[in-house]
Amino acid sequence: MKTHAIASFHRAPERLNCAQAVLFGYQSITHDRTIPVVDFKPFGGGRAPGGECGALHAACLLAPKAATEIRRAFRGCAGATRCKELNGFACLKCVELAAHLLNEHTLSKTILETPPVQSPQAGADSASSDMPRLPNIPDDPPAILPAERDAGIGLNGRTVEYLSDCKAEPSWLRAQRRAALHSFTAAERILQWAPPSLAEIPLDGLRYYSAPAAVREPSGRAGTARVLDALGVARDEAAFLGGSQAQIDGEVVYGSLAETWARAGVVFVDSTRGLIEHGSLFRPHFGTVVGRDENLFTRLNAAVFSGGSFIHVPPGVQLTAPLKCFMHLQGGGSTQFGRTLIVVGEGAEVTFFESCTSAARPGPALHCAVGEFVLGRDAKLNYVALQNWKPNVFNLAVLRARLAAGASIRWIDCNVGGRLTMKYPCALLEGEGASAEAMSISVARTGQHHDSGAKMFHLASNTSSTITAKSVSIGEGRSGYRGWVRMPASVHRCHNHTECDALLVDRASRTDTYPAIQVRGYDNTAQHEASVSRLDEEQIFYMRQRGLSEDVARGLSINGFVSDLVQRFPLQYSLEIKKLIELEMSGSVG
């Protein structure tokens, strides 16, 4: 439903307003055309009764019994229900949110509980379509899934014991979890350098371990399989993947690996199975790249980690098809503490995609992940992350790689949405000739703060690294680059190039840059370039003279700002990332 609604909003030839777009999305799924689309035209542009958002008003008219819940959820995500009070929350985002909530309260059930109201203008002459009303699989994840395992709200010793009991963990791991919990409880909760919004995380009001039932197939019409189907797991798996996993809240609920790669010795399982079934491959690297006591959130992850991927690629094996993990948070109060470990043997190569989404439900949610990557001599790893969070998600991730001689890693990161993002991928270039590249795009709107960057530590001679970061701030959104490049005097002929560009869309937009560059020795070099620009009003004016609307002109200008970087992404994701940015920008400025 959401996809149909977004696609129709202000697009030729219909030029539907926000209310009409939600109705169009509803009709595209239900095939119920009792209400003519033209009848919702008076509700667009804040002209709905009481000044209510037209998209929200349409959703409430189509699901009257759920109107109170829809309005409550809409207010929780957007901050208001009246159109003029939705500062920084674009019309397109309102359409997306309203369509999602309508889907959640109607089409998530096998049969619609409530028929839509009659059109305010349609009388007895309005004839229903002859097309049947089919409960089609929606493109939005349906209603929240019941938890098969749930440790309850809050964090204490019982939470850790319950989690370990569910996983039947060995005594040594239970002891590690207890020690990490004690360390987390005793630690100072305030990080002096961190963004102030970090203090908004309600650490005592979250569910630290909950998970729905697992499934064997990624498609179906009920329960977990329905959610995975809506997330596109089966579609991507059939199209181009060598293996896939899906994690909902605290546990991986589905996993597969193509027989070709399984016969080659590739291991692709969740972290729990990696620990229990592949202990000889897992344990020697577990916790060796990211220490348990490095900061507050590594301690928290060590205490309650669950889910995440374990990948082991034997020496010489080069995967020609990528592996992918789908991560989904079900909404307010839910958490994910994934622990990912990727081990790439000598001369091996693998591409790993991570796609993160969340549901639009009121209340904060937390994604606090740790990723450890170990690359042997001449190994290659491409790590691509596309994170499209709802505005209530706090996204904190610690990602670090150790590279042997001749190894290379390529980080590609696209961050959209979320309340706060803190992510600084780190490469430890420990072998001569190792190289690392980090590319990132961040889009922050009002109420969002993206604090991201990269760290490159040159610990061997003849190593190289590149950091390229682009950020877009909309409304009162805030983005920041935080990087650290270090070359000690003991290494020689090392090189780094860093480039960070920021685009401010509105006068209240903000960007910050915090580079730390430590270069010693006489033959090591580091270059740092940074630019901040505003939207070119002359360019916008020119495009408007060519017949484009202001929204379309600004969207094209912003896409031009990031397009040179997007073109360097893998083909499978460059188009998806560009489309996501287009949807994020359309109708969002001005």
Side-chain angles (χ1 to χ4, degrees):
M1 180 189 298
K2 180 174 68 177
T3 299
H4 293 292
I6 290 173
S8 66
F9 178 59
H10 277 191
R11 302 289 172 88
E14 295 88 357
R15 299 290 181 184
L16 303 183
N17 64 32
C18 56
Q20 291 175 301
V22 172
L23 175 60
F24 181 84
Y26 174 87
Q27 292 178 341
S28 298
I29 297 299
T30 64
H31 306 291
D32 184 338
R33 291 169 173 77
T34 304
I35 307 174
V37 173
V38 69
D39 287 0
F40 273 32
K41 187 174 182 179
F43 302 142
R47 296 189 299 272
E52 187 173 54
C53 167
L56 171 62
H57 188 70
C60 293
L61 285 177
L62 294 168
K65 288 189 176 181
T68 301
E69 297 179 22
I70 290 175
R71 286 190 173 95
R72 183 185 301 115
F74 190 95
R75 182 186 295 275
C77 293
T81 58
R82 298 181 73 247
C83 189
K84 291 185 178 181
E85 297 174 359
L86 296 170
N87 296 325
F89 207 80
C91 293
L92 188 67
K93 296 298 291 184
C94 291
V95 171
E96 178 185 3
L97 177 58
H100 174 84
L101 294 174
L102 175 61
N103 171 86
E104 187 175 273
H105 289 285
T106 54
L107 300 181
S108 59
K109 302 176 176 57
T110 303
I111 300 175
L112 296 177
E113 293 181 352
T114 307
V117 297
Q118 286 292 323
S119 164
Q121 297 178 3
D125 294 335
S126 296
S128 298
S129 170
D130 293 332
M131 299 180 66
R133 182 186 298 175
L134 298 176
N136 206 350
I137 302 291
D139 55 345
D140 299 317
I144 190 167
L145 296 171
E148 186 179 68
R149 289 146 289 174
D150 189 355
I153 297 176
L155 178 62
N156 51 47
R158 292 188 300 274
T159 308
V160 173
E161 293 300 326
Y162 176 83
L163 193 159
S164 292
D165 288 341
C166 289
K167 295 175 175 290
E169 292 178 339
S171 57
W172 67 268
L173 185 54
R174 291 173 182 261
Q176 279 195 11
R177 289 189 184 275
R178 295 190 196 103
L181 176 62
H182 176 75
S183 180
F184 171 76
T185 304
E188 176 64 43
R189 296 293 179 92
I190 299 177
L191 301 180
Q192 298 297 333
W193 59 269
S197 51
L198 185 67
E200 299 175 12
I201 302 176
L203 293 174
D204 296 328
L206 300 173
R207 293 184 179 275
Y208 284 87
Y209 178 66
S210 65
V215 295
R216 293 183 177 272
E217 297 294 332
S219 61
R221 291 187 173 272
T224 304
R226 186 180 178 89
V227 175
L228 301 187
D229 205 17
L231 293 174
V233 178
R235 178 197 63 215
D236 285 4
E237 190 176 84
F240 64 91
L241 296 179
S244 65
Q245 286 181 352
Q247 178 169 344
I248 298 178
D249 291 346
E251 204 66 87
V252 172
V253 296
Y254 170 77
S256 70
L257 178 65
E259 184 63 28
T260 301
W261 305 118
R263 287 197 301 266
V266 176
V267 177
F268 183 34
V269 296
D270 62 86
S271 60
T272 299
R273 287 185 59 194
L275 183 66
I276 296 175
E277 301 177 13
H278 306 277
S280 61
L281 301 175
F282 188 94
R283 283 199 65 181
H285 305 287
F286 176 63
T288 63
V289 185
V290 178
R292 183 182 67 197
D293 292 325
E294 290 192 11
N295 59 53
L296 179 68
F297 293 99
T298 57
R299 296 182 178 98
L300 179 59
N301 181 279
V304 293
F305 78 88
S306 178
S309 303
F310 171 57
I311 300 174
H312 182 272
V313 185
V317 176
Q318 297 182 354
L319 277 80
T320 56
L323 307 178
K324 182 174 181 178
C325 182
F326 297 80
M327 310 283 283
H328 183 67
L329 274 169
Q330 294 201 85
S334 58
T335 59
Q336 281 180 340
F337 296 94
R339 187 88 185 200
T340 293
L341 174 60
I342 301 179
V343 182
V344 189
E346 181 176 347
E349 182 175 352
V350 63
T351 295
F352 180 66
F353 288 151
E354 186 178 79
S355 177
C356 301
T357 59
S358 62
R361 295 186 176 89
L366 175 62
H367 177 85
C368 179
V370 169
E372 299 180 285
F373 312 99
V374 181
L375 280 69
R377 178 181 291 269
D378 297 321
K380 294 182 179 180
L381 171 62
N382 296 311
Y383 184 94
V384 184
L386 174 57
Q387 303 192 325
N388 182 20
W389 300 114
K390 297 301 180 185
N392 60 328
V393 176
F394 291 81
N395 176 29
L396 316 175
V398 177
L399 307 174
R400 190 175 302 155
R402 293 175 56 187
L403 286 78
S408 64
I409 187 169
R410 192 185 193 201
W411 313 93
I412 298 176
D413 200 16
C414 180
N415 296 297
V416 177
R419 175 67 183 94
L420 171 66
T421 292
M422 295 174 64
K423 184 192 295 185
Y424 323 98
C426 175
L428 305 177
L429 303 168
E430 298 179 340
E432 188 165 347
S435 62
E437 182 178 13
M439 297 184 289
S440 66
I441 293 177
S442 291
V443 181
R445 19 171 101 254
T446 298
Q448 300 172 356
H449 187 171
H450 289 181
D451 194 81
S452 58
K455 303 176 184 178
M456 301 294 179
F457 295 162
H458 295 253
L459 306 178
S461 298
N462 297 308
T463 53
S464 61
S465 62
T466 304
I467 303 173
T468 308
K470 286 183 178 286
S471 65
V472 179
S473 300
I474 307 170
E476 296 180 5
R478 180 177 176 181
S479 62
Y481 166 80
R482 196 181 299 268
W484 187 0
V485 177
R486 181 172 176 266
M487 300 177 190
S490 58
V491 302
H492 303 281
R493 297 174 299 281
C494 296
H495 176 71
N496 166 265
H497 178 79
T498 299
E499 180 179 349
C500 50
D501 301 317
L503 179 64
L504 304 179
V505 174
D506 297 297
R507 293 187 179 276
S509 305
R510 176 174 172 177
T511 186
D512 307 279
T513 303
Y514 307 100
I517 303 173
Q518 300 171 314
V519 180
R520 300 180 183 275
Y522 63 89
D523 55 357
N524 298 318
T525 60
Q527 300 171 322
H528 180 88
E529 301 177 21
S531 69
V532 180
S533 59
R534 293 192 178 275
L535 220 54
D536 189 336
E537 293 299 331
E538 290 188 6
Q539 187 181 67
I540 300 300
F541 176 79
Y542 174 78
M543 287 190 285
R544 292 194 66 185
Q545 301 310 303
R546 310 300 294 180
L548 299 178
S549 68
E550 184 172 359
D551 286 344
V552 172
R554 292 192 174 191
L556 288 173
S557 182
I558 294 170
N559 268 314
F561 173 73
V562 300
S563 63
D564 60 330
L565 186 57
V566 171
Q567 289 173 3
R568 295 163 58 187
F569 292 177
L571 180 61
Q572 295 96 330
Y573 264 50
S574 61
L575 296 177
E576 183 174 346
I577 291 174
K578 189 172 182 180
K579 180 180 177 182
L580 177 62
I581 294 174
E582 286 177 353
L583 293 176
E584 190 74 6
M585 298 303 176
S586 180
S588 65
V589 289

